[in-house]
Amino acid sequence: MSRPIHSAPRRRATAAGCAVLLFAALASGTASAADPTPSPSATTPSASGDTGLAGLDPRITEIMRKPDYRNAQWGLLQTDPDNGRVVHSLFPEQFFIPGSTAKLISVSGPWHTLGADHRFVTPLYAVGARDGATLTGDLDLVAQGDLTMGGRTRPDGTVAYTDLDHTYANDFPGATLTPENPLAGIDLLARQVRDSGITRVDGDVIVDSRLFLPDPELVPTPTPLIVNDNLIDLLTTPGDRPGADARLDWRPKVAPYQVTSAVKTVAAGKPTAVTVTATDGGTRIRLTGTIAADSAPLLRTSPIGDPAGFGRVALMEALERAGVHVTADPTGPNPVGRLPHDYAGRPRVAAYTSPPYAQYAKLILKVSHNLGANLGICLLAVTAKSDQCPAGFPVLADFLDQAGVDREQAQLMDGRGGNPADRATPQVLVQMLAYWQRTPDARLFREALPILGVDGLLAENCRSCPARGKVFAKTGAAVGGDALNDRLAVGAITIAGYLDKGGGRFDTFYAGVNGASTPGADPTEVLAITNDLAMIAAYLQESS
């Protein structure tokens, strides 16, 4: 079974989802219920660059002509970046809902601006007077927008991911955890403080989050300090027999978060349904429901409501484990009023250094990491010396101009491709892909994308077909509800990337459909559409 490819959790507000789909219909022409098959006059190149369906692998045209797509609009573009030749083209300059293919743009900006080798260094300063092993004052952790703070870093310095990330655990079955300790960076900082000779802090621990202001227009909302993607992981495993309490494990375990479970084990084959509720600012989490005796461990998540406060407590607990006693109450507020204007002259007693940005970009692209994509916009703002995340968009625009990408063929209000206003033409995404082919990072960028039949959100598609391992592509989707017809309205399913044609040639391509719908309301029915797009990519690669 193929993995879902998507840009936004399915359980967003239904009204918002429907608004996305309606807006898409108006913008891309899908509301006209036109036959997606071009007319005969469109089978030769047009002024807009269309080549129609002429010369396409018949397996592709068969997919596009399915009854399921009778009200939908298809877009397609394949080019040879070495000479600019258009191989196939269908509505290349028309706006489509991009879904997470927008991440090709939003990740490219920070990659270019920061550099593939950029590392985030998160310092910890001693602010106060030092007398031997005692600091009378505070330890200030200055957040730098590090996406994982060591929570996914393998011993070799690469960033770990699973094909279906824990950030999607509440929306799709099968999400799994990486084995790394989500508090690894925090623990390292605490050990460094102890190694500096400090064993007592007569004062407090403060998280300095002044790098940028959280922007609620970016959903999920990035914060300067991020621990475990600002989520509590909740893993439920069946008990020994039907009727027994299910087993629960959760992470990261940080006070004052408390988790309880009333989930019961039911007979094999019975429904598994687990509900998560959170109160007291998200610090009291309770799981209820059932899990079948033959069920695999079920992962759910609960959001961390105050990332800075959470990080403060996590660091104080890590300091205690490392042998550093802090006199302040760990459950108290994060006392930002005590922060100095700057840290000039303050001794740095610890620092956590991240893996290179290219590793974070790989995580974002492989699993469609929405928080990381939005974070990139805020990081671009920081490069412009602004603490306002929207200031990142002009930086992104300047990069696109320099890269020769026609940014007027894209409309973005976020980094993940999930805002109702987001649009992109096939041409602009192919231009973005072609840009990387001209850079020293061409291979690095290409291999950061999901690989057909191998990893990321394309891991389960086309595992035994000839194109396996030869398509490198970002996927995307926008799916909402259709209460009128008791089905799902598929605003977009898209895919864009590179086709390994052999001999060192990598064609750039885009394929997407806007305005499709499923027969019913079962979310798994979307998988048939995602698989159609994956197969179109495979057939493009296989075709001479």
Side-chain angles (χ1 to χ4, degrees):
M1 184 177 71
S2 62
R3 296 291 190 193
I5 50 182
H6 46 281
S7 68
R10 180 175 54 84
R11 294 178 184 176
R12 296 289 178 210
T14 302
C18 290
V20 172
L21 299 172
L22 176 60
F23 196 14
L26 296 174
S28 65
T30 58
S32 66
D35 189 326
T37 305
S39 64
S41 62
T43 59
T44 56
S46 69
S48 65
D50 282 341
T51 61
L53 302 186
L56 271 177
D57 187 311
R59 295 173 295 182
I60 296 176
T61 57
E62 183 179 357
I63 289 173
M64 291 182 171
R65 287 170 170 150
K66 282 183 177 181
D68 297 347
Y69 303 119
R70 63 183 178 274
N71 300 120
Q73 178 66 66
W74 285 93
L76 183 71
L77 184 59
Q78 177 186 349
T79 68
D80 179 348
D82 292 338
N83 54 29
R85 181 176 66 91
V86 174
V87 182
H88 298 295
S89 179
L90 187 66
F91 303 118
E93 297 180 3
Q94 180 169 305
F95 272 138
F96 288 84
I97 300 173
S100 282
T101 54
K103 292 182 175 74
L104 293 169
I105 295 175
S106 63
V107 171
S108 292
W111 186 315
H112 168 83
T113 304
L114 300 175
D117 295 328
H118 175 81
R119 296 175 186 266
F120 300 89
V121 179
T122 302
L124 186 66
Y125 291 97
V127 180
R130 175 91 176 261
D131 183 8
T134 298
L135 171 67
T136 302
D138 302 325
L139 290 174
D140 292 359
L141 178 64
V142 185
Q144 296 295 308
D146 186 327
L147 179 57
T148 72
M149 279 297 294
R152 294 179 185 254
T153 305
R154 300 185 182 103
D156 65 358
T158 59
V159 171
Y161 60 89
T162 60
D163 292 331
L164 186 56
D165 193 63
H166 78 139
T167 54
Y168 287 112
N170 291 352
D171 302 288
F172 296 96
T176 54
L177 295 171
T178 60
E180 287 73 25
N181 174 13
L183 296 177
I186 298 293
D187 286 342
L188 178 60
L189 288 167
R191 292 194 298 269
Q192 289 180 7
V193 172
R194 179 63 182 83
D195 292 344
S196 76
I198 296 175
T199 60
R200 180 181 176 86
V201 178
D202 285 333
D204 216 322
V205 170
I206 312 174
V207 172
D208 184 341
S209 291
R210 293 178 291 186
L211 184 70
F212 61 80
L213 298 173
D215 186 345
E217 293 299 316
L218 299 175
V219 180
T221 303
T223 51
L225 181 68
I226 297 171
V227 176
N228 200 44
D229 300 311
N230 292 340
L231 295 172
I232 301 292
D233 295 318
L234 310 159
L235 191 65
T236 298
T237 305
D240 296 331
R241 64 188 184 283
D245 291 338
R247 291 185 285 270
L248 171 68
D249 193 15
W250 62 282
R251 70 176 201 181
K253 293 182 173 69
V254 172
Y257 280 74
Q258 297 180 11
V259 181
T260 58
S261 174
V263 177
K264 294 292 184 180
T265 306
V266 295
K270 293 291 186 180
T272 292
V274 174
T275 299
V276 178
T277 56
T279 57
D280 294 342
T283 63
R284 299 294 183 269
I285 302 169
R286 183 167 177 79
L287 287 77
T288 56
T290 59
I291 186 169
D294 59 346
S295 172
L298 180 70
L299 181 64
R300 292 287 184 264
T301 63
S302 187
I304 293 171
D306 178 9
F310 181 90
R312 172 183 174 272
V313 178
L315 180 54
M316 293 180 76
E317 292 180 348
L319 287 165
E320 290 290 343
R321 292 193 296 270
V324 181
H325 177 66
V326 182
T327 60
D329 180 2
T331 62
N334 185 39
V336 294
R338 296 164 62 107
L339 291 172
H341 176 71
D342 58 45
Y343 295 94
R346 317 282 187 179
R348 192 176 81 171
V349 293
Y352 176 75
T353 301
S354 77
Y357 179 78
Q359 281 292 311
Y360 285 173
K362 185 175 184 179
L363 166 67
I364 296 167
L365 294 169
K366 290 286 188 185
V367 309
S368 207
H369 197 284
N370 291 324
L371 179 63
N374 280 343
L375 175 64
I377 302 299
C378 300
L379 295 175
L380 289 177
V382 173
T383 68
K385 304 187 183 308
S386 173
D387 63 358
Q388 305 289 323
C389 290
F393 285 105
V395 182
L396 180 59
D398 288 345
F399 157 67
L400 294 175
D401 291 344
Q402 296 170 27
V405 176
D406 183 2
R407 59 182 168 91
E408 291 190 358
Q409 293 194 47
Q411 297 175 175
L412 292 179
M413 284 294 293
D414 63 7
R416 69 184 178 101
N419 188 283
D422 290 349
R423 295 291 182 276
T425 68
Q427 189 169 77
V428 76
L429 295 176
V430 165
Q431 288 175 351
M432 188 76 265
L433 292 160
Y435 160 80
W436 285 107
Q437 293 289 72
R438 304 188 296 270
T439 72
D441 287 340
R443 179 176 179 180
L444 193 61
F445 184 84
R446 181 173 66 248
E447 294 181 353
L449 300 171
I451 303 174
L452 187 67
V454 176
D455 65 13
L457 288 176
L458 287 173
E460 299 300 324
N461 297 94
C462 210
R463 291 184 65 88
S464 60
C465 68
R468 181 179 187 269
K470 298 177 182 178
V471 176
F472 305 78
K474 184 71 199 75
T475 57
V479 181
D482 177 6
L484 179 65
N485 298 292
D486 191 26
R487 62 184 182 182
L488 295 178
V490 183
I493 302 291
T494 55
I495 185 169
Y498 302 99
L499 307 168
D500 184 352
K501 305 296 283 187
R505 171 182 160 184
F506 292 90
D507 282 12
T508 50
F509 84 99
Y510 165 96
V513 62
N514 275 192
S517 56
T518 60
D522 185 349
T524 61
E525 293 174 350
V526 178
L527 298 177
I529 303 176
T530 66
N531 193 61
D532 280 347
L533 269 294
M535 294 312 300
I536 286 175
Y539 298 149
L540 288 173
Q541 188 281 325
E542 295 171 17
S543 301
S544 60

